[in-house]
Amino acid sequence: MGGPGEPPEGAPEGGPGGGEDEYRSVVFDESFVRAARLQEFSAQERMADHAPAVRRRPPMHRGLSRQALVLVLLIALAFGTAIYMGVRHPYDTPAAVRDVSLPLRTTVVPLAPVGKVPGAADAEYLYAHSPAAQFRIGAAGITLPAARDTSHFTEAQVMSALDTVKEYLVRSALYPEVLTGGETRPVRVLLPADQHLQFDESLNHPAADGRHAVTGWLVRLDARSVRLADPQIRVRGTLAVSETESTILEVTADHTYVYALRPTGADAGAKAETSLFTVRRELHFRFDREDVRLHQAQLSTSYVQAGPLSCGDNAADVFSPLLAGQTAKAGGPAGTDPFATDRATAVCGTLASGALPKG
């Protein structure tokens, strides 16, 4: 067996240096005594209790240092905070993939009049004797419904979508620079980036193919033949909101616009009369949360009726309205009324007599 162990804190200082200490096995320092597992009873204790000569002491427990305790607490606090933030995250989790805009589907139905287009010297007279007599003027005719939250969109998000749709309707059907000036940027900037290509293709290569009608995106009048006789365009319609998916909000806009027009160029004489031109647009817009945040609108469906027009005109590119005293080159199925809510089923319809001003 080996000799006695060293004291817990090393050999005592101050002993004779060099060589073997002959008293090394019997000399103990204070730390050795404190660390001993056995403790001798005093003489008085042994006399009183007849106890054994020694008793076993409980092992010493060394506590954690203050620095270690603080470190443990910090780690526990950080871990608890991470768990809490994972359960109660204060921000919306972004979608992994943004909703892709659907290609716009367009239907443009020109409405040909029966007989001559009525006219008058005064636009107010025509309005007063037409179904647009009670319509409001300009943007005031595009009224917003009360915004309410849906299952997955807040009231503020619904209101933002409605505001965006109203702005689109105003820019695409009431801005003079868009109507007769050929401007398109005011409308384009409200569309999401993934619809810009289709929008640009429609402008560069308009076609009545259900995808590339300029007049499906906006109202464009042929500035070579007509001009606005009254900037106070009459408007009436409705807006409706629905949640079609948990991530999609849909807004349907159904409005009728009535424009007072006069001829331009050689036909614009002093005696040229004013006539009315009516456009009914039913537009469907889609919004995901990113569209709402960016103040953009996905235009998914556009259904348009417009007249008086000739059926042979390319209404997909620009509207060339028939003016006071003019007649249509060709007719179509009878009785389509842009002031009614039913839909025309023909590529070209006949403008109902009730949609025209009364003499």
Side-chain angles (χ1 to χ4, degrees), residues 117-118 123 126-127 130 132 258-261 274-278 307-308 322 356-357:
V117 175
L126 290 175
Y127 281 133
S130 76
V258 183
Y259 306 86
L261 304 178
T274 298
S275 60
L276 299 184
F277 179 68
T278 303
L322 295 172
L356 297 170

Side-chain angles (χ1 to χ4, degrees), residues 12-24 27:
E13 298 179 1
E20 291 290 335
D21 183 359
E22 60 179 317
Y23 299 105
R24 179 171 180 166
V27 177

Side-chain angles (χ1 to χ4, degrees), residues 33-41 45 51-60:
V33 173
R34 287 199 308 268
R37 299 293 300 277
L38 298 177
Q39 183 182 23
E40 183 180 5
F41 285 101
E45 287 175 327
V54 296
R55 60 184 172 188
R56 182 175 295 275
R57 297 177 65 185
M60 289 182 61

Side-chain angles (χ1 to χ4, degrees), residues 144-168:
L144 301 182
R148 297 182 177 85
D149 58 351
T150 65
S151 299
H152 300 90
F153 289 83
T154 66
E155 179 180 329
Q157 289 174 319
V158 172
M159 193 67 215
S160 178
L162 287 170
D163 285 338
T164 303
V165 168
K166 179 172 182 175
E167 187 169 356
Y168 187 96

